[in-house]
Coordinates of all heavy atoms in Angstrom, one line a residue:
T170 N 13.9 29.6 2.1 CA 14.3 28.6 3.1 C 13.1 28.3 4.1 O 12.3 29.2 4.3 CB 15.5 29.0 3.9 OG1 15.9 27.9 4.8 CG2 15.3 30.3 4.7
Q171 N 13.1 27.1 4.6 CA 12.2 26.7 5.7 C 13.0 26.3 6.9 O 12.4 25.8 7.9 CB 11.4 25.5 5.2 CG 10.6 25.7 3.9 CD 10.9 24.8 2.8 OE1 11.7 23.9 3.0 NE2 10.4 25.0 1.6
E172 N 14.3 26.6 6.9 CA 15.1 26.1 8.0 C 15.1 27.0 9.2 O 16.2 27.6 9.5 CB 16.5 25.9 7.4 CG 16.5 24.8 6.4 CD 17.8 24.5 5.7 OE1 18.8 25.2 6.0 OE2 17.9 23.6 4.8
Y173 N 14.0 27.1 9.9 CA 13.8 27.9 11.1 C 13.4 27.0 12.2 O 12.7 26.0 12.0 CB 12.7 29.0 10.9 CG 13.1 30.1 9.9 CD1 12.6 30.0 8.6 CD2 13.8 31.2 10.3 CE1 12.9 31.0 7.7 CE2 14.1 32.2 9.4 CZ 13.7 32.1 8.1 OH 14.0 33.1 7.2
D174 N 13.7 27.4 13.4 CA 13.1 26.9 14.6 C 11.6 27.4 14.7 O 11.4 28.6 14.3 CB 13.8 27.4 15.9 CG 14.6 26.3 16.6 OD1 14.2 25.1 16.4 OD2 15.6 26.6 17.2
Y175 N 10.7 26.6 15.1 CA 9.3 27.1 15.2 C 9.1 28.0 16.4 O 9.7 27.8 17.4 CB 8.3 25.9 15.2 CG 8.1 25.3 13.9 CD1 9.0 24.4 13.3 CD2 7.1 25.7 13.1 CE1 8.8 23.8 12.1 CE2 6.9 25.2 11.8 CZ 7.7 24.3 11.3 OH 7.6 23.8 10.0
I176 N 8.2 28.9 16.2 CA 7.8 29.9 17.2 C 6.3 29.5 17.6 O 5.5 29.3 16.8 CB 7.8 31.3 16.7 CG1 9.3 31.7 16.3 CG2 7.3 32.3 17.8 CD1 9.4 33.0 15.6
Q177 N 6.1 29.5 18.9 CA 4.7 29.2 19.4 C 4.2 30.5 20.0 O 4.8 31.2 20.8 CB 4.7 28.2 20.5 CG 3.4 27.9 21.1 CD 3.4 26.9 22.2 OE1 4.4 26.1 22.3 NE2 2.4 26.8 23.0
S178 N 3.0 31.0 19.4 CA 2.4 32.2 19.9 C 1.0 32.3 19.5 O 0.5 31.5 18.7 CB 3.2 33.4 19.3 OG 2.8 33.6 17.9
R179 N 0.3 33.3 20.0 CA -1.0 33.6 19.6 C -0.9 34.2 18.2 O 0.1 34.8 17.8 CB -1.7 34.6 20.5 CG -2.1 34.0 21.9 CD -3.3 33.1 21.8 NE -3.7 32.6 23.1 CZ -4.8 32.0 23.3 NH1 -5.6 31.7 22.3 NH2 -5.1 31.6 24.5
L180 N -2.0 34.1 17.4 CA -2.0 34.8 16.1 C -1.7 36.2 16.2 O -1.0 36.8 15.4 CB -3.3 34.5 15.3 CG -3.6 33.0 15.0 CD1 -5.0 32.9 14.3 CD2 -2.5 32.4 14.2
S181 N -2.3 36.9 17.2 CA -2.2 38.3 17.4 C -0.7 38.7 17.7 O -0.4 39.9 17.6 CB -3.1 38.8 18.4 OG -2.8 38.2 19.7
E182 N 0.1 37.8 18.1 CA 1.5 38.1 18.5 C 2.5 37.9 17.4 O 3.6 38.3 17.6 CB 1.9 37.2 19.7 CG 1.0 37.4 20.9 CD 1.3 36.3 22.0 OE1 1.6 35.2 21.7 OE2 1.3 36.7 23.2
I183 N 2.0 37.4 16.2 CA 3.0 37.1 15.2 C 3.7 38.4 14.7 O 4.9 38.4 14.6 CB 2.3 36.4 14.0 CG1 1.9 35.0 14.4 CG2 3.2 36.4 12.7 CD1 1.1 34.3 13.3
R184 N 2.9 39.5 14.5 CA 3.5 40.7 14.0 C 4.6 41.2 15.0 O 5.7 41.6 14.6 CB 2.5 41.8 13.8 CG 3.0 43.1 13.3 CD 1.9 44.2 13.2 NE 0.8 43.8 12.4 CZ 0.8 44.0 11.1 NH1 1.8 44.7 10.5 NH2 -0.2 43.7 10.3
G185 N 4.4 41.2 16.3 CA 5.3 41.6 17.2 C 6.6 40.7 17.3 O 7.7 41.2 17.6
L186 N 6.3 39.4 17.1 CA 7.5 38.5 17.2 C 8.3 38.5 16.0 O 9.4 37.9 16.0 CB 6.9 37.1 17.6 CG 6.4 37.0 19.0 CD1 5.7 35.6 19.2 CD2 7.5 37.1 20.0
M187 N 7.7 39.0 14.9 CA 8.5 39.0 13.6 C 9.5 40.2 13.7 O 9.4 41.2 13.0 CB 7.6 39.1 12.4 CG 8.2 38.7 11.1 SD 8.1 36.9 10.8 CE 6.4 36.8 10.4
T188 N 10.4 40.1 14.7 CA 11.3 41.2 15.0 C 12.4 41.3 14.0 O 12.6 40.4 13.2 CB 11.8 41.0 16.4 OG1 12.6 39.8 16.4 CG2 10.8 41.0 17.5
K189 N 13.2 42.3 14.2 CA 14.3 42.5 13.3 C 15.3 41.3 13.4 O 15.9 40.9 12.4 CB 15.1 43.8 13.6 CG 16.1 44.2 12.6 CD 16.7 45.6 13.0 CE 17.6 46.1 11.9 NZ 18.8 45.2 11.7
S190 N 15.4 40.7 14.5 CA 16.3 39.6 14.7 C 15.9 38.4 13.8 O 16.7 37.6 13.4 CB 16.4 39.2 16.1 OG 15.2 38.7 16.6
I191 N 14.6 38.3 13.6 CA 14.1 37.3 12.7 C 14.1 37.7 11.3 O 14.7 37.0 10.4 CB 12.6 36.9 13.1 CG1 12.6 36.3 14.5 CG2 12.0 35.9 12.1 CD1 11.2 36.1 15.0
T192 N 13.6 38.9 11.0 CA 13.5 39.3 9.6 C 14.8 39.5 8.9 O 15.0 39.5 7.7 CB 12.6 40.6 9.4 OG1 13.2 41.6 10.3 CG2 11.2 40.3 9.9
D193 N 15.9 39.8 9.7 CA 17.2 39.9 9.2 C 17.7 38.6 8.5 O 18.5 38.6 7.6 CB 18.2 40.3 10.3 CG 18.2 41.8 10.5 OD1 17.6 42.5 9.8 OD2 18.9 42.2 11.5
N194 N 17.1 37.5 9.0 CA 17.5 36.2 8.4 C 16.6 35.8 7.2 O 16.9 34.8 6.6 CB 17.3 35.1 9.5 CG 18.3 35.3 10.6 OD1 19.5 35.7 10.3 ND2 17.9 35.1 11.8
L195 N 15.6 36.6 6.9 CA 14.7 36.3 5.8 C 15.5 36.6 4.5 O 16.1 37.6 4.3 CB 13.4 37.1 5.8 CG 12.4 36.8 6.9 CD1 11.3 37.8 6.9 CD2 11.9 35.4 6.8
S196 N 15.4 35.7 3.5 CA 16.1 35.9 2.3 C 15.2 36.9 1.4 O 15.7 37.4 0.5 CB 16.3 34.6 1.5 OG 15.0 33.9 1.4
Q197 N 13.9 37.0 1.8 CA 13.0 37.9 1.0 C 12.5 38.9 2.1 O 11.4 38.7 2.7 CB 11.9 37.1 0.4 CG 10.8 38.0 -0.3 CD 11.4 39.0 -1.2 OE1 11.6 40.2 -0.9 NE2 11.7 38.6 -2.5
T198 N 13.2 40.0 2.3 CA 12.9 40.9 3.4 C 11.7 41.7 3.2 O 11.1 42.4 4.1 CB 14.1 41.8 3.8 OG1 14.5 42.5 2.6 CG2 15.2 41.0 4.3
S199 N 11.2 41.8 1.9 CA 10.0 42.5 1.6 C 8.7 41.8 1.9 O 7.6 42.3 1.8 CB 10.0 43.0 0.1 OG 9.9 41.8 -0.7
F200 N 8.9 40.6 2.4 CA 7.7 39.8 2.7 C 6.9 40.4 3.9 O 7.5 41.1 4.7 CB 8.1 38.3 3.1 CG 7.0 37.3 3.0 CD1 6.6 36.7 1.9 CD2 6.3 37.0 4.2 CE1 5.6 35.8 1.8 CE2 5.2 36.1 4.1 CZ 4.9 35.5 2.9
S201 N 5.6 40.1 3.9 CA 4.7 40.7 4.9 C 5.2 40.4 6.3 O 5.7 39.3 6.6 CB 3.3 40.1 4.7 OG 2.5 40.4 5.9
P202 N 5.1 41.3 7.3 CA 5.5 41.1 8.7 C 4.6 40.1 9.4 O 4.8 39.8 10.5 CB 5.4 42.5 9.3 CG 4.5 43.2 8.5 CD 4.7 42.7 7.1
T203 N 3.5 39.7 8.7 CA 2.6 38.7 9.3 C 2.5 37.5 8.4 O 1.6 36.7 8.5 CB 1.2 39.2 9.6 OG1 0.7 39.8 8.4 CG2 1.2 40.3 10.7
G204 N 3.5 37.3 7.5 CA 3.5 36.2 6.6 C 4.1 34.9 7.3 O 5.2 35.0 7.9

Side-chain angles (χ1 to χ4, degrees):
T170 185
Q171 302 119 6
E172 296 177 357
Y173 292 96
D174 253 332
Y175 280 85
I176 297 170
Q177 178 180 343
S178 77
R179 292 284 186 171
L180 297 179
S181 60
E182 297 172 324
I183 290 176
R184 183 185 297 272
L186 290 170
M187 201 85 75
T188 60
K189 190 174 186 299
S190 62
I191 297 174
T192 56
D193 277 352
N194 294 322
L195 293 175
S196 54
Q197 174 52 262
T198 54
S199 63
F200 197 86
S201 165
T203 55

